[in-house]
Amino acid sequence: MFRQTLFRHLSRPLPRLLSTQPSAAFAPAVPTSRFAGVPKGPEDAILGVTVAFNADPNPNKINLGVGAYRDDVGLPFVLSPVREAERRIVHAQHHMEYLPVAGSRTFVDKAIRLAYGEHNHHVKTGQVASIQTLSGTGACRMAGVLIQRFLPALDGGPRDESPLVLLPNPSWANHAAIFRDSGCAVGQYKYYDPATKNLDFEGCVSSLEDAPDGSVVLLHACAHNPTGVDPTPEQWAKLSAVLKEKRHQPLFDMAYQGFTSGDMEVDAASVRRFVDDGHRIVLAQSFSKNFGLYGQRVGCLSVLTDSQEEALAIDSQLKIIARPMYSNPPIAGVRIVEEVLSDPELERQWRAEMKGMAERIISMRTMLKGYLEELGSAQNWDHITNQNGMFCFSGISKEQVAKLRDEHSVYLTENGRISMAGVTSQNVGYLADAVHKVTK
Amino acid sequence: MSSIFSSVPTAPPDAILGLTAQFRADPDPRKVNLGVGAFRTSSNKPYVLPVVRRVEQQLADDPSATHEYLPQDGLQSFCDASARLILGADSPALADGRVTTVQALSGTGALRVGFAFVANFISSSTSVYVPKQTWSNHRNVIPAAGLPRALEYRYLDPRTGAVDIAALVEDLDKAPAGSIILLHGCAHNPTGADPTQPQWLQILDVVKRRKLVPFFDNAYQGFASGSLETDAWSVRTFVAAGLDMLVAQSYAKNMGMYGERVGALSVVASSAGAEDAVRSQLKATIRAMYSSPPKHGAMVAAAILGDEKLFAEWEGELVKMSARIMDMRVKLKAALEKNATPGNWDRITSQIGMFSYTGLTSQQVTFMREKYHVYMTANGRISMAGLTDDTVQYVADAMKDAVESVVKQD
């Protein structure tokens, strides 16, 4: 019980309006709106970076806060099979009827095959519940509500109305809000070690062992956001064993499958390891980055089950969650994915261009580290190439981040997170120089 | 290891969606689907507006078009145009800067975000009143958003098929101050019975008197009467009274963009100054639900709303769609009178929008489905969009048989 309290205190209640009445010291002559007392929410840190960047007239400015892929001249990138798919879709003159509440069956089937592999037993036998979602966020939200409503107590006792979801420290900023708004309690497990700029594996394992049995543990399948630090295959194996022993529920958030190494199978290795080890995982998938479909909100939630009946029961409950949220999911994005994956040539192009994106990011990491070493930096920059995916936790301090902004027009969030998508072969030299200057 | 969800119970199936499944499975060639909530052409086909297709082609041909994330509150040009559409470009609320508009996942999403906002930032014990006859999902959205289960106000007079204004006002007169009152802007779903303009003024009166907060659900602006202005009259009248209110919009029917999930939520404050705070909290609610809304449908809607020619073309489409609905109403009523079906069928043409409350009992509805393979929801609601010239008489004859053979129950 004590340990639950320890973890529970990290969960922040939603801000509540205290009073709609103006204070006695200030009594306006006209009646005030009921909305007048709504408190202003905290500023979005990343948005703040973009706003400041946009306002900066320096032609050498660099935006390292960008959360979407950019090509080597800093422009948004629409994959050519996606463009072709859009042309075909418009040409085909499809209707715009409502999708079912659970979304497109065709899309969901393809999504879970991409995640679990074509030969996965659960997929082949229908022992997986699944639903189309509003990208990864929507999938996490559906998972949160499913967990809040149905996560049973471990040993048959009364259910916890605010089941504990453990996030890695740090995690994507939005995770805590999603699970809190779902009605879950939110806690943390140790993850990133700022001293090594790497995984604090021992701390991670011991904090998971200290957590109450049967906690929900959120895992980033690959390309951890914001640190880029991923467990090795051996470490994943150990984590799988720990979760099994503690009867923790794995909840995977996979937002970068294919985008991390360039290979869909490689990037799903952690997920597949857990599945092979017998975990009945919950998986949130996003197609924002690997298909470049960000704003179309393409995602999928799946839950591995022990039977078809169970899968159907969970399917029915997922629909009950979806209907009062948005009735049925958007159609445009999933049509594009279906079109690409139903044509072998388009699928080949997709895999190749996705690999191209991953390889550009990796080459920027190599170049940035190389330039810093050439400049004679005394710091250790190994983490730039050890870390995976779009983000690099640079270890640059808050003060140094401010200097980068004020003296060099290089923009990144206070926590030192660099979006490698903002780095190009044109600006990497300037960036290395600026980083060297503020960190030497 | 077994799944933690192994004892999750199966949820009851959705009544309306179950009906569609049943219809699809029915092999009888005479079957007619009057449960469908989407427009159908006179050949009983789904309809994509030509103006929508044209804009989609433009977007697909535009090499500079991307799939970048929208902001949490959506496409700004869409939100601004959407607010002007429902409130009127000359709305005093817009002039005063008292309106905060965010893009939403069609009407459902607008309602959900609006109710969640009330639950989180006004009070989680706020009472919400819905009309006794209302879209079934309203009653799901409200508790899902964190508010107590909806209460009811009387709405339909079953004898006339019109609004029972005296009962309505009587019920609202008992609502505590600050309660949310859900109102259908036009084309009430499921009854098709809208208040007359004098009746709207009576509703406004009790809303003001009891300090209630209206939440308008607008799923049919332009689609009901064919006129965007006429169908917005109720909302604009309430806004002109200077109230705090919420306004949901859907473009599913009026732009035929059902599956694209295009909608908007506007929070209208009675005094200025709250917009930044309101927007920040709407965004926070959205961010924890789906981060940001889908782009495609909003781009199409923004293009149509923002271009004079496209807008005019869209207005023409609204006239055509509403005219087809009205044509089916006229023909069904005529067919019912022609075959001397017992009862007064004036309501078929006095009701408005896609749906009509026939007054058939659930037993009569079952009879029509089993004997004639005519499908409608158990409450006797028919979708006029499901009728064509070929099926009107068949349906009228089925209704006659139902009314005469099945003694009214329910």
Side-chain angles (χ1 to χ4, degrees), chain A residues 354-373:
Chain A
M354 176 177 63
K355 185 153 187 265
M357 291 194 283
E359 287 177 343
R360 190 184 95 67
I361 298 284
I362 290 167
S363 75
M364 290 302 102
R365 289 180 177 276
T366 307
M367 283 179 82
L368 179 60
K369 178 178 155 190
Y371 276 131
L372 283 164
E373 287 171 350

Side-chain angles (χ1 to χ4, degrees), chain A residues 33-34 39 41 70 83 93-94 96-97 137 141 151-152 174 278 295-297 306 316-317 323 326-328, chain B residues 1 3-4 9 11 14 40 53 63 67-68 108 122 137 244 259 261 271 280-281 287-288 290-292 295:
Chain A
S33 163
R34 282 180 59 84
R70 294 285 176 267
R83 277 224 194 279
Q93 308 237 304
H94 291 299
M96 281 176 171
E97 297 293 286
T137 305
R141 179 61 177 255
L151 188 76
N174 201 20
Q296 306 301 355
R297 321 310 291 125
D306 296 320
S316 72
Q317 297 295 352
R323 184 134 163 83
Y326 50 81
S327 277
N328 43 78
Chain B
M1 258 175 324
S3 160
I4 52 164
D14 182 291
R40 291 286 177 269
R53 286 245 190 261
H67 296 290
E68 292 296 289
T108 307
I122 307 300
N137 207 21
D244 284 321
R261 320 311 292 129
S271 56
S280 72
Q281 300 298 3
R287 181 142 169 79
Y290 53 86
S291 273
S292 60
K295 190 170 192 182

Side-chain angles (χ1 to χ4, degrees), chain A residues 113-128:
Chain A
R113 271 161 216 285
L114 286 173
Y116 297 107
E118 290 290 333
H119 306 293
N120 175 271
H121 171 73
H122 289 272
V123 171
K124 278 169 36 174
T125 58
Q127 291 176 71
V128 51

Side-chain angles (χ1 to χ4, degrees), chain B residues 67-198:
Chain B
H67 296 290
E68 292 296 289
Y69 288 121
L70 285 177
Q72 289 148 18
D73 47 355
L75 185 63
Q76 191 174 347
S77 58
F78 165 75
C79 293
D80 292 346
S82 211
R84 285 195 298 272
L85 183 73
I86 188 67
L87 303 178
D90 53 356
S91 172
L94 285 170
D96 295 344
R98 293 186 282 115
V99 181
T100 308
T101 305
V102 299
Q103 185 181 335
L105 298 176
S106 206
T108 307
L111 291 162
R112 175 59 177 263
V113 171
F115 282 123
F117 170 75
V118 169
N120 294 337
F121 299 105
I122 307 300
S123 163
S124 61
S125 56
T126 304
S127 299
V128 181
Y129 289 79
V130 302
K132 183 169 170 193
Q133 299 83 14
T134 198
W135 181 46
S136 59
N137 207 21
H138 282 145
R139 289 198 171 86
N140 300 327
V141 174
I142 291 157
L147 293 172
R149 296 214 154 264
L151 303 164
E152 286 179 354
Y153 58 88
R154 282 170 293 167
Y155 191 75
L156 185 76
D157 182 343
R159 295 165 304 154
T160 59
V163 174
D164 184 349
I165 190 66
L168 191 161
V169 168
E170 195 183 305
D171 287 353
L172 291 192
D173 240 325
K174 302 188 192 117
S179 300
I180 306 269
I181 307 300
L182 185 78
L183 296 159
H184 298 224
C186 66
H188 182 271
N189 177 1
T191 69
D194 285 346
T196 61
Q197 289 189 358

